[in-house]
């Protein structure tokens, strides 16, 4: 017999969850309508997904929808198959229980070991076995903020249950986005090879003010920096990003800046808190100017006088001589050999541990894909990688792990 058509999408986005079995436990929140796409997103990243539903959840979402979404029959009651033990007993086949969405009622039952629904029976078994459990709350805001609910959440967190979200909007504690949930699942089931490491990443373009309305900037989208931040977070690192953008992640700390000066000052201040590595992936402006306090009138001839900005890596190296630094070297209109030569010169001049070099006249800035050379100062080894920026982030993380292993 051919496999269920849902399996045709398996692994199409990534292999980050390949070989992992995830059980989605669905409760009676209206946010249950979001679970079909959530299940499929997990499958796109390589997971095998099963679903268990409470009776209340079935009033909102028919089990057929989750059968379609997962490719497996949905568990709606505990039978002679002892499904909770099959998946989460001492020899269970599941790697993680994802309670999404989780109502206040279910959170309370989980906190007190009450298992009177298929969902809570699965939760009691998984928690008793010490399996990873992620809870994604969704309910009315006034319910979420009830002292008992807060107490139950804190209690579960003390037992190493992970919570994702909610987002408080329109009087509702809304379910977290699928991207946020996926990232936390990947972190929970990932390699944890960077656990205990603190990494600071600068990302994206900076912008220098011309007047209160206009700025001068560059073509960087920040996509590479964001992918690096998420990949290092997946591997267990404590990650902070300094940038002029937004990440759809609660786990990654963000410091928002605009200008080159603000980015450099923010980075130096943040490094006071103790970091193992700086990854300087931002396209920091090389020039700045004194901005007009009022809007420059349109149509007038305009002459701007620029001056050089400070150099982030130089200031960081002077202030923190022991920190590991990964730099980026972007060039345009040169050969591969010349690119590597200039990257090596930067590696030595700035006392970097590693440099990522790319020629951006064809691809790189503002694009989904890139072609880069990662050069290590330790042994002068060059890793050439071409493809989407998530692949580049994964390859960089592999190389950084090698630095930490040898230090």
């Amino acid at each position: 017999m051919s496999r269920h058509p849902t399996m045709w999408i398996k692994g199409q986005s990534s292999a980050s969850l390949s070989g992992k079995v995830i059980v989605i436990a669905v409760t009676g929140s209206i946010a249950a309508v979001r679970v079909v796409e959530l299940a499929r997103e997990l499958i796109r990243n390589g997971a095998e997904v099963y679903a268990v539903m409470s009776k209340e959840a079935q009033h909102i979402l028919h089990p057929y929808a989750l059968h379609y979404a997962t490719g497996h029959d949905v568990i709606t009651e505990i039978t002679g198959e002892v499904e909770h033990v099959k998946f989460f007993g001492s020899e269970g086949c599941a790697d993680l229980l994802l309670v999404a969405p989780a109502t206040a009622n279910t959170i309370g039952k989980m906190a007190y070991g009450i298992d009177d629904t298929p969902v809570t029976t699965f939760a009691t078994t998984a928690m008793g076995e010490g399996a990873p459990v992620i809870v994604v709350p969704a309910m009315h805001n006034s319910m979420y903020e009830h002292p008992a609910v807060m107490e139950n959440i804190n209690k579960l967190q003390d037992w190493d249950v992970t919570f994702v979200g909610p987002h408080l909007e329109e009087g509702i504690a809304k379910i977290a986005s699928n991207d946020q949930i996926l990232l936390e699942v990947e972190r929970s089931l990932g390699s944890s090879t960077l656990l205990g490491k603190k990494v600071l990443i600068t990302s994206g373009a900076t912008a220098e003010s011309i007047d209160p309305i206009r700025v001068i900037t560059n073509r960087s989208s920040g996509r590479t920096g964001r992918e690096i931040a998420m990949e290092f977070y997946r591997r267990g690192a404590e990650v902070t990003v300094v940038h002029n953008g937004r990440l759809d992640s609660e786990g990654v700390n963000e410091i928002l800046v605009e200008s080159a000066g603000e980015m450099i000052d923010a980075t130096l201040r943040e490094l006071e808190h103790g970091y193992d590595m700086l990854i300087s992936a931002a396209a920091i402006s090389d020039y700045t100017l004194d901005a007009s306090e009022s809007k420059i009138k349109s149509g007038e001839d305009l002459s701007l006088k620029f001056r050089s900005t400070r150099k982030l890596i130089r200031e960081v190296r002077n202030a923190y001589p022991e920190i590991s630094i990964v730099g980026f070297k972007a060039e345009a209109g040169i050969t591969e050999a010349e690119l590597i030569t200039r990257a090596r010169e930067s590696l030595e001049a700035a006392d970097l541990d590693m440099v990522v070099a790319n020629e951006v006249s064809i691809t790189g800035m503002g694009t989904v894909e890139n072609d880069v050379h990662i050069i290590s100062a330790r042994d002068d080894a060059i890793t050439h990688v071409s493809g989407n920026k998530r692949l580049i982030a994964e390859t960089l993380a592999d190389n950084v792990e090698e630095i930490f292993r040898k230090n």
Side-chain angles (χ1 to χ4, degrees), residues 3 37 42 113 138 165 192 240 253 276 289-290 324 351 363 372 384 390:
R3 60 179 181 167
E37 188 51 42
L42 295 170
S192 300
T240 298
N253 304 313
D276 298 288
L289 68 162
D290 294 321
S324 294
D351 191 21
T363 186
V372 306
H384 179 220
R390 175 165 179 172

Side-chain angles (χ1 to χ4, degrees), residues 103-115 120 123-124 127 135 148-159 161 163:
T103 59
N105 184 46
T106 295
I107 290 170
K109 289 178 178 179
M110 289 175 64
Y112 285 91
I114 300 170
D115 53 343
T120 52
T124 298
M127 291 169 64
V135 174
V149 175
M150 292 288 101
E151 181 178 300
N152 291 335
I153 290 173
N154 291 334
K155 185 176 183 180
L156 290 171
Q157 287 175 326
D158 288 342
W159 292 342
V161 173
F163 278 74

Side-chain angles (χ1 to χ4, degrees), residues 149-282:
V149 175
M150 292 288 101
E151 181 178 300
N152 291 335
I153 290 173
N154 291 334
K155 185 176 183 180
L156 290 171
Q157 287 175 326
D158 288 342
W159 292 342
D160 294 327
V161 173
T162 299
F163 278 74
V164 185
H167 293 305
L168 305 180
E169 298 178 39
E170 301 174 327
I172 302 171
K174 294 184 177 181
I175 190 171
S177 71
N178 287 347
D179 285 345
Q180 285 183 307
I181 298 167
L182 171 63
L183 186 61
E184 291 299 333
V185 170
E186 290 173 321
R187 180 177 171 92
S188 179
L189 296 180
S191 62
S192 300
T193 49
L194 295 175
L195 187 66
K197 300 297 183 183
K198 287 186 68 175
V199 180
L200 182 63
I201 300 165
T202 65
S203 175
T206 59
E208 307 302 313
S209 293
I210 296 172
D211 65 17
I213 295 175
R214 303 175 179 91
V215 298
I216 186 166
T217 185
N218 58 60
R219 301 181 192 277
S220 174
S221 66
R223 185 177 284 111
T224 297
R226 291 193 296 272
E227 290 290 355
I228 292 170
M230 290 187 290
E231 183 59 30
F232 277 63
Y233 183 74
R234 288 184 189 103
R235 300 190 189 203
E238 181 181 336
V239 178
T240 298
V241 181
V242 183
H243 65 157
N244 183 15
R246 285 289 183 183
L247 277 171
D248 191 12
S249 168
E250 294 177 340
V252 177
N253 304 313
E254 295 184 82
I255 300 173
L256 303 182
V257 297
E258 181 176 84
S259 69
E262 290 173 356
M263 178 168 281
I264 293 167
D265 289 340
T267 299
L268 290 168
R269 282 195 305 270
E270 184 62 22
L271 288 174
E272 293 175 2
H273 300 295
Y275 279 80
D276 298 288
M277 174 171 282
L278 168 68
I279 300 178
S280 182

